[in-house]
């Protein structure tokens, strides 16, 4: 079981980095497409896909 | 050359500030690593979540490293072009809309260096991310399964890089020609939809840029038919060059559409 954990650790770390970076960016960014709190829920609750969707569609890119 | 370098620096700063240099490699590594780990621990996962009948054998424990790598690239293939298209579809068209273009176009900048700075910036991010992702999945495959010949992986990465170049060029050119929404749709159609058609009725021809993904995987087991493969490479390179010219032309032609 510990080897499973060791193997899964990089995946969990990357997921975690994505989540944290997305959240920090969400706090710092002045405006997003759609309400901010909805993005916060999406980033935290939907793992991996949530931050990706935020980076692609959430940041205001015009 | 000087203009290109300055514009590329601006481009790079944009990619850093929009965090593209961070999240695109991370996501690619994630998708590269997930498949080998998932396949390796499938039995444990199944035991943990579902009550399988006694003596149930799924026959997935004896997969070879080549099969694992092939299925990883298959998984990778789905996500790569989608993420590249979606994150770079506004690369030129958004500048026309958010008034950056007006600031740029009043200066004596050649449109080719403008287009190539955009193209190079997107290419650096996309290509480096793809290579890192594929290397990560190779590393995991070697750790969990057996050795795969390094030259096969090199050939796979080389072939796949050309496909990534093609996707980037299609996206940047579409962005130069059309507004963001249209550009994204067109680029998705040209990469995904044509690939779908290619996989359905593609046995009638063997030379097309959309076959590069398949050829890349073929390197793992045997070798792709060399004349078909090299013809596809040549066709793809020609398509990229033609698309570049179209893109420079489109950037110049859309000068009147900028917002001031």
């Amino acid at each position: 079981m510990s080897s499973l954990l060791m193997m899964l650790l990089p995946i969990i770390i990357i997921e975690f980095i994505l989540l944290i970076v997305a959240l920090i960016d969400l706090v710092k960014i002045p405006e997003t497409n759609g309400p901010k709190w909805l993005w916060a829920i999406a980033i935290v609750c939907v793992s991996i896909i949530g931050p990706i969707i935020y980076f692609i569609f959430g940041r205001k890119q015009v | 050359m000087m203009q290109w370098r300055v514009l590329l620096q601006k481009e790079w700063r944009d990619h850093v500030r929009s965090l593209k240099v961070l999240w695109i490699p991370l996501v690619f590594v994630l998708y590269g690593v997930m498949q080998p780990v998932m396949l390796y621990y499938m039995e444990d996962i199944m035991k943990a979540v579902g009550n399988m009948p006694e003596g149930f054998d799924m026959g997935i424990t004896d997969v070879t490293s080549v099969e694992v790598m092939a299925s990883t690239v298959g998984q990778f293939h789905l996500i790569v072009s989608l993420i590249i298209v979606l994150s770079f579809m506004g690369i030129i068209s958004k500048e026309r809309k958010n008034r950056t273009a007006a600031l740029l176009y009043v200066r004596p900048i050649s449109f080719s260096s403008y287009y190539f700075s955009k193209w190079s910036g997107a290419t650096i991010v996309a290509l480096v991310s793809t290579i890192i992702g594929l290397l990560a999945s190779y590393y995991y495959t070697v750790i969990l399964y057996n050795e795969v010949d390094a030259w096969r992986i090199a050939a796979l990465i080389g072939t796949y890089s050309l496909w990534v170049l093609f996707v980037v060029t299609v996206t940047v050119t579409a962005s130069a020609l059309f507004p963001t929404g249209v550009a994204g749709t067109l680029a998705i159609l040209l990469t995904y939809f044509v690939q779908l058609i290619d996989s359905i009725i593609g046995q009638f021809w063997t030379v097309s840029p959309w076959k590069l993904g398949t050829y890349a995987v073929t390197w793992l087991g045997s070798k792709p038919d060399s004349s078909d493969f090299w013809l596809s490479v040549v066709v793809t390179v020609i398509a990229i060059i033609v698309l570049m010219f179209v893109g420079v032309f489109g950037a110049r032609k859309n000068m009147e559409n900028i917002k001031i």
Side-chain angles (χ1 to χ4, degrees):
Chain A
M1 204 59 198
S2 71
S3 76
L4 175 63
L5 200 69
M6 281 307 287
M7 276 296 152
L8 287 180
L9 203 60
I11 296 180
I12 295 167
I13 290 174
I14 292 177
E15 246 189 274
F16 193 67
I17 295 174
L18 277 178
L19 182 107
I20 295 296
V21 170
L23 281 182
I24 291 173
D25 189 59
L26 183 67
V27 171
K28 277 165 86 176
I29 203 166
E31 219 182 334
T32 52
N33 290 326
K36 268 195 179 190
W37 58 271
L38 207 63
W39 279 116
I41 293 174
I43 290 168
V44 174
C45 296
V46 191
S47 73
I48 311 178
I49 310 289
I52 297 177
I53 299 286
Y54 166 71
F55 282 126
I56 292 175
F57 297 109
R59 307 181 93 256
K60 226 172 183 121
Q61 284 195 326
V62 189
Chain B
M1 204 60 193
M2 187 65 198
Q3 286 175 359
W4 174 77
R5 217 163 60 210
V6 173
L7 285 169
L8 183 59
Q9 278 168 8
K10 160 192 165 292
E11 209 47 41
W12 181 252
R13 198 163 298 151
D14 186 31
H15 290 327
V16 170
R17 288 203 182 137
S18 65
L19 296 170
K20 277 184 189 133
V21 284
L22 184 70
W23 73 264
I24 295 180
L26 280 180
V27 169
F28 283 12
V29 168
L30 199 63
Y31 275 91
V33 163
M34 218 145 56
Q35 189 76 356
V37 174
M38 202 94 118
L39 282 175
Y40 189 76
Y41 287 108
M42 189 55 99
E43 220 169 7
D44 291 331
I45 296 170
M46 289 310 250
K47 259 183 212 149
V49 293
N51 37 354
M52 287 289 144
E54 203 64 41
F56 178 76
D57 183 23
M58 296 219 293
I60 45 170
T61 42
D62 47 347
V63 285
T64 62
S65 51
V66 167
E67 284 168 4
V68 173
M69 200 67 205
S71 86
T72 308
V73 175
Q75 189 88 329
F76 206 65
H77 199 55
L78 287 175
I79 203 84
V80 162
S81 38
L82 192 66
I83 284 186
I84 291 175
V85 169
L86 287 178
S87 51
F88 294 117
M89 64 186 180
I91 193 165
I92 293 179
S93 51
K94 82 164 181 219
E95 290 206 337
R96 287 200 290 268
K97 250 192 152 179
N98 70 7
R99 298 173 173 82
T100 319
L103 289 174
L104 278 173
Y105 290 1
V106 291
R107 287 165 175 80
I109 292 170
S110 80
F111 280 94
S112 50
S113 58
Y114 175 66
Y115 176 87
F116 282 119
S117 71
K118 293 281 179 198
W119 184 84
S120 332
T123 300
I124 291 169
V125 175
L127 212 54
V128 169
S129 311
T130 311
I131 292 172
I132 292 175
L134 284 175
L135 283 178
S137 76
Y138 172 54
Y139 177 70
Y140 262 70
T141 310
V142 169
I143 284 185
L144 295 174
Y145 295 89
N146 300 319
E147 193 72 39
V148 186
D149 289 343
W151 70 268
R152 287 187 188 278
I153 298 297
L156 184 149
I157 290 178
T159 314
Y160 207 80
S161 300
L162 192 63
W163 165 250
V164 169
L165 278 186
F166 180 70
V167 175
V168 169
T169 316
V170 166
T171 313
V172 176
T173 301
S175 186
L177 289 172
F178 304 106
T180 309
V182 183
T185 317
L186 187 73
I188 293 273
L189 280 180
L190 274 178
T191 52
Y192 261 92
F193 194 66
V194 177
Q195 213 174 7
L196 197 71
I197 292 171
D198 204 292
S199 67
I200 295 169
I201 51 170
Q203 62 266 45
F204 295 116
W205 61 87
T206 47
V207 176
S208 84
W210 294 276
K211 286 239 189 299
L212 280 178
T214 325
Y215 284 144
V217 177
T218 318
W219 280 111
L220 287 170
S222 51
K223 263 184 197 172
D225 188 338
S226 63
S227 68
D228 288 345
F229 171 70
W230 287 112
L231 258 177
S232 295
V233 168
V234 169
V235 165
T236 311
V237 170
I238 291 172
I240 287 174
I241 292 169
V242 169
L243 280 170
M244 279 174 170
F245 278 110
V246 174
V248 174
F249 168 77
R252 183 177 296 133
K253 197 179 155 291
N254 276 326
M255 196 162 61
E256 64 232 37
N257 292 341
I258 62 172
K259 252 189 192 162
I260 301 168

